[in-house]
Amino acid sequence: QQQVKQSPQSLIVQKGGIPIINCAYENTAFDYFPWYQQFPGKGPALLIAIRPDVSEKKEGRFTISFNKSAKQFSLHIMDSQPGDSATYFCAAIEAQGAQKLVFGQGTRLTINP
Amino acid sequence: NAGVMQNPRHLVRRRGQEARLRCSPMKGHSHVYWYRQLPEEGLKFMVYLQKENIIDESGMPKERFSAEFPKEGPSILRIQQVVRGDSAAYFCASSGLAGHEQYFGPGTRLTVT
């Protein structure tokens, strides 16, 4: 059973555009939502994370928007660059319970020059 | 290098052999998690360990797979009698007291021939 659903599966954006990746969850016990960036042949790197008591968090060019009532959250990348081309995973975790990350299926992002 | 270390980075085994994957957590981290990533798929939780204790092994296959995190030395994920379906990237993550901020190693790519 997929507990975190991520879309789109792949995304192509021109340099400078704003790719948006969406995730939805069902388990209301989730209380921490990180995003990971993974380049081919590498491990996932923690990019940015948000808690459900905050509606938006920004770090550099990366922004998470969080809608608790809809149980949805999204990643926006401002002024995207070819170097941002990677696979992005959203995840969720019960920080006070089972401390295992539940990952979305991933989005393969390509930023064209 | 204070990051999570995994070795070997690549491992080739024939069907029926044993595979041993090692993980040294980030300095100061006492929580270790193992995840498996099948080709073109997201990461799936396998097991969560603290020193000398298995906390949660709900994602581990019931047979052939085992994990340990001894008092001294790295955490080890052991796969006995490997089959072709075990071919995947195996990632280790570690965290400090805040269990939700998990940092990943570069992974071990296991190929079963």
Side-chain angles (χ1 to χ4, degrees):
Chain A
Q1 181 182 2
Q2 182 63 42
Q3 294 190 55
V4 178
K5 294 184 178 180
Q6 182 172 347
S7 63
Q9 192 172 7
S10 63
L11 183 59
I12 300 174
V13 173
Q14 289 299 118
K15 177 184 173 182
I18 305 176
I20 300 173
I21 304 170
N22 301 298
C23 286
Y25 63 98
E26 290 295 325
N27 184 355
T28 54
F30 287 146
D31 54 4
Y32 185 75
F33 302 86
W35 285 87
Y36 285 85
Q37 178 189 57
Q38 185 178 31
F39 292 104
K42 305 293 185 184
L46 180 61
L47 197 59
I48 185 173
I50 196 168
R51 298 182 186 279
D53 55 348
V54 176
S55 61
E56 184 175 281
K57 183 173 181 180
K58 186 178 294 187
E59 284 186 7
R61 297 185 293 109
F62 299 92
T63 300
I64 301 179
S65 299
F66 191 89
N67 185 330
K68 187 175 181 178
S69 61
K71 291 185 287 186
Q72 295 175 348
F73 57 110
S74 59
L75 176 71
H76 302 227
I77 306 176
M78 305 301 175
D79 187 28
S80 58
Q81 302 296 316
D84 296 328
S85 298
T87 299
Y88 292 81
F89 293 95
C90 63
I93 191 171
E94 299 176 41
Q96 302 304 318
Q99 293 183 7
K100 52 188 175 185
L101 286 166
V102 178
F103 283 87
Q105 301 96 318
T107 296
R108 182 174 293 182
L109 174 65
T110 302
I111 307 298
N112 287 330
Chain B
N1 185 353
V4 178
M5 299 181 69
Q6 290 187 249
N7 66 80
R9 294 292 307 277
H10 300 273
L11 183 61
V12 180
R13 285 287 178 265
R14 292 181 178 173
R15 278 181 298 171
Q17 290 185 320
E18 178 180 288
R20 284 197 177 211
L21 289 61
R22 294 175 185 77
C23 168
S24 295
M26 194 177 284
K27 188 176 181 181
H29 284 187
S30 57
H31 305 255
V32 167
Y33 314 80
W34 286 92
Y35 294 84
R36 178 164 64 176
Q37 185 175 36
L38 294 170
E40 305 300 321
E41 291 190 15
L43 293 94
K44 297 286 193 296
F45 168 82
M46 299 182 73
V47 61
Y48 163 35
L49 312 102
Q50 294 180 23
K51 285 284 187 181
E52 299 184 280
N53 284 304
I54 298 175
I55 307 302
D56 181 353
E57 55 182 348
S58 59
M60 286 275 273
K62 292 288 185 277
E63 297 179 351
R64 301 187 297 108
F65 286 72
S66 63
E68 62 176 4
F69 189 14
K71 187 176 180 180
E72 301 291 337
S75 175
I76 302 221
L77 178 67
R78 183 182 178 203
I79 311 173
Q80 294 178 293
Q81 299 177 308
V82 296
V83 301
R84 288 225 173 103
D86 296 333
S87 294
Y90 292 82
F91 291 97
C92 166
S94 74
S95 68
L97 291 176
H100 46 276
E101 289 188 355
Q102 296 183 21
Y103 295 90
F104 283 78
T108 293
R109 280 147 186 86
L110 173 66
T111 302
V112 179
T113 62

